[in-house]
Amino acid sequence: MSIHAPEAATKILLDEREMPTRWYNIQADLPFPGSPPLHPGTKQPIGPQDLAPLFPMELIKQEVSQERYIDIPSPVQDALRLWRPTPLMRASRLERELKTTAKIYYKYEGVSPAGSHKPNTAVAQAFYNKAEGTKRLSTETGAGQWGSALAFASKLFGLECMIYMVRISFEQKPYRKSMMHVWGAEVVPSPSDRTQVGRRIRAENPDSTGSLGIAISEAVEDAAGRDDTKYSLGSVLNHVLMHQTIIGEEALLQMERAEAMPDIVVGCVGGGSNFSGLAFPFLRDRIQGRTKTRFLAAEPEACPSITRGKYTYDFGDTGEMTPLVKMHTLGHNFIPDGIHAGGLRYHGMAPLVSALVDHGYIEGVAYPQRSVFDAAVQFARAEGTIPAPESAHAIRAVIDEAVKARDRGESPTILFNLSGHGLLDLAAYDAYFAGTLSDVTLSEARIQELVGAL
Ligand SMILES: *Cc1c(COP(=O)(O)O)cnc(C)c1O
């Protein structure tokens, strides 16, 4: 084995004073009209007052804002500086192992207290709620990444936090629940007996293992029924995607410093927030015709909303309580199989990502979970960091692109988002090594059955 002379820098760090101080709102630059959310009862476009029981006014304004940049309030900046700016890394060891002519960079969001990108929006949402007098936040969580991020942020800003956690994860993934407890949140398995929706689903199906769609309905009902409580969502919504753009704004500065602008930007997509956070600042240049950067969104074959779902109006939840939004969806009754990337098991996709896919700015790719874990292990053995199974979907796409580039004699620069670490997902790695992971693919007939009714 040869010891390599250091060539390019491995790690590009920003000083904490260089942290971007405003978010990028891509709504200002879209070259096509948006599709407004519709009221679940009247099916007419909703207004700010319809959302007021659930969200503070400042977040409702951000949801529909046409301002290109929105200043990050200084208490939010202070909170973000607990872990930001995050490092940009060159994956030179992976490049050498793949014998690729591509250059591979990644933005590492696993350094946050909760271990993923999710605290970027959690601290902003907690701040605006606190500022407008909210006492308590309710939310849902699947595998627990969002719940732990919001528990942490709520504690920072002095709010109570109530979390409906999908029952199967509550039972199978105890450690993220432990994190939520450390940060002072209350966590119940969903469906629970705390809400009408939960009681109804339990009466119909006492063994229900729950789903994100059900847990969202419970958290929304909780917030709608109490004056002191608002609801908080960890992905999908425009304001959430905007809060994540600090990732891409930092990455732009870091890539400039590395003198390497990306030809391909890659991220995994569940609801679309970490992908958008990295991609939107680079998409700004593509929309304005300054670059030809490609944008690649990677999802599981078991929950293929952008590659195989229908682009149409659908509910965000199973209980049909949320507004209808136009998105790529597998139908709000879809309960995906228990794949190990819990964060990618949402039936829909952010409306902004969906529209950009529909207009050809973003390409979707889907992978079966075994090939995703092949990529995760290859990455961990080359670069050290053990990726979250969600993030490993992006790594699968990057490795495939890097190998293609090698075979064609091309040398693109690839940038991807390593959205979180996998240190609380080691049971999934054990299953991979034990050979008990199975690949789940949806049949076309099943997809037609799910989306046919929409
Ligand atoms: C939640 C989560 C995701 C998926 O959510 P997005 O909103 O699509 O980013 C991806 N990676 C990690 C580590 C997560 O926790």
Side-chain angles (χ1 to χ4, degrees):
M1 191 184 161
S2 65
I3 307 279
H4 293 263
E7 330 128 351
T10 302
K11 191 162 36 167
I12 296 127
L13 297 174
L14 294 176
D15 187 271
E16 106 176 35
R17 281 162 302 191
E18 296 174 287
M19 191 181 81
T21 56
R22 48 190 203 169
W23 293 300
Y24 169 53
N25 177 22
I26 201 169
Q27 294 185 83
D29 288 332
L30 290 183
F32 46 82
S35 306
L38 306 180
H39 191 278
T42 65
K43 311 273 154 68
Q44 294 301 307
I46 53 168
Q49 285 317 316
D50 293 311
L51 294 173
L54 294 183
F55 302 104
M57 208 32 84
E58 207 48 45
L59 292 178
I60 297 173
K61 282 193 206 147
Q62 291 180 4
E63 191 62 19
V64 295
S65 171
Q66 299 297 314
E67 292 289 319
R68 181 167 288 117
Y69 296 102
I70 292 181
D71 289 334
I72 306 176
S74 60
V76 177
Q77 290 186 33
D78 288 345
L80 291 169
R81 283 200 192 89
L82 289 172
W83 70 96
R84 304 205 73 86
T86 62
L88 180 87
M89 311 287 290
R90 171 94 183 257
S92 330
R93 286 179 172 76
L94 181 66
E95 289 171 19
R96 282 199 290 270
E97 185 181 312
L98 297 172
K99 300 192 170 54
T100 181
T101 38
K103 296 186 186 72
I104 304 175
Y105 291 86
Y106 62 94
K107 184 73 169 152
Y108 185 43
E109 291 295 305
V111 295
S112 80
S116 76
H117 65 287
K118 291 200 171 74
N120 295 331
T121 183
V123 292
Q125 294 190 44
F127 166 78
Y128 288 115
N129 272 286
K130 182 68 180 184
E132 293 184 34
T134 306
K135 298 279 180 281
R136 177 174 172 275
L137 288 175
S138 71
T139 197
E140 71 292 328
T141 193
Q145 291 104 326
W146 170 242
S148 52
L150 193 68
F152 154 69
S154 297
K155 190 46 76 188
L156 279 190
F157 288 97
L159 297 164
E160 288 173 48
C161 185
M162 174 72 209
I163 299 166
Y164 296 87
M165 184 170 185
V166 176
R167 179 175 296 273
I168 183 136
S169 303
F170 185 90
E171 284 159 6
Q172 291 179 351
K173 311 213 159 161
Y175 292 125
R176 285 220 178 76
K177 180 176 57 188
S178 312
M179 292 168 74
M180 297 177 229
H181 285 152
V182 169
W183 284 313
E186 185 179 355
V187 193
V188 294
S190 164
S192 75
D193 57 8
R194 305 282 185 104
T195 64
Q196 282 178 21
V197 181
R199 287 188 293 271
R200 176 167 60 74
I201 288 167
R202 281 165 60 128
E204 285 164 7
N205 178 7
D207 299 325
S208 171
T209 51
S211 72
L212 265 184
I214 295 170
I216 294 175
S217 299
E218 289 208 274
V220 167
E221 183 184 322
D222 180 314
R226 290 178 56 150
D227 283 344
D228 65 346
T229 301
K230 295 250 188 269
Y231 169 67
S232 183
L233 187 64
S235 187
V236 178
L237 299 176
N238 300 345
H239 68 264
V240 177
L241 273 45
M242 186 188 75
H243 297 156
Q244 294 294 352
T245 59
I246 191 161
I247 302 172
E249 294 290 8
E250 284 180 7
L252 254 175
L253 297 174
Q254 289 163 309
M255 293 298 280
E256 271 165 15
R257 208 155 290 180
E259 295 176 10
M261 274 301 137
D263 299 296
I264 313 176
V265 174
V266 185
C268 65
V269 286
S273 73
N274 87 84
F275 170 81
S276 302
L278 179 66
F280 284 1
F282 292 93
L283 251 165
R284 175 174 54 205
D285 289 342
R286 158 93 181 267
I287 290 172
Q288 292 169 5
R290 286 198 292 269
T291 64
K292 294 198 164 69
T293 312
R294 285 174 60 205
F295 296 88
L296 216 51
E299 63 181 8
E301 268 191 2
C303 190
S305 46
I306 53 177
T307 51
R308 297 176 69 198
K310 186 168 172 178
Y311 184 45
T312 187
Y313 274 98
D314 192 15
F315 291 100
D317 69 326
T318 307
E320 305 188 352
M321 295 165 64
T322 68
L324 289 147
V325 293
K326 193 165 182 195
M327 61 180 174
H328 284 90
T329 177
L330 296 162
H332 58 281
N333 288 316
F334 178 54
I335 299 186
D337 278 284
I339 53 163
H340 282 283
L344 306 185
R345 297 178 62 219
Y346 182 61
H347 67 270
M349 181 56 56
L352 283 173
V353 173
S354 295
L356 287 158
V357 168
D358 195 54
H359 286 83
Y361 289 93
I362 297 171
E363 305 159 49
V365 272
Y367 299 106
Q369 69 173 344
R370 276 198 297 233
S371 82
V372 167
F373 276 87
D374 293 342
V377 169
Q378 190 173 13
F379 181 83
R381 289 178 178 178
E383 295 293 324
T385 299
I386 299 177
E390 289 85 355
S391 320
H393 288 72
I395 298 173
R396 175 77 270 159
V398 168
I399 292 176
D400 289 357
E401 287 294 327
V403 168
K404 246 188 274 174
R406 175 194 69 198
D407 295 345
R408 292 178 186 156
E410 295 168 354
S411 44
T413 296
I414 305 174
L415 169 65
F416 76 96
N417 203 4
L418 186 51
S419 53
H421 67 65
L423 295 180
L424 291 174
D425 302 287
L426 294 177
Y429 282 86
D430 285 345
Y432 168 76
F433 289 122
T436 57
L437 276 195
S438 54
D439 286 342
V440 185
T441 307
L442 285 180
S443 72
E444 197 50 38
R446 176 86 180 112
I447 291 193
Q448 284 316 317
E449 188 186 320
L450 286 161
V451 302
L454 296 176

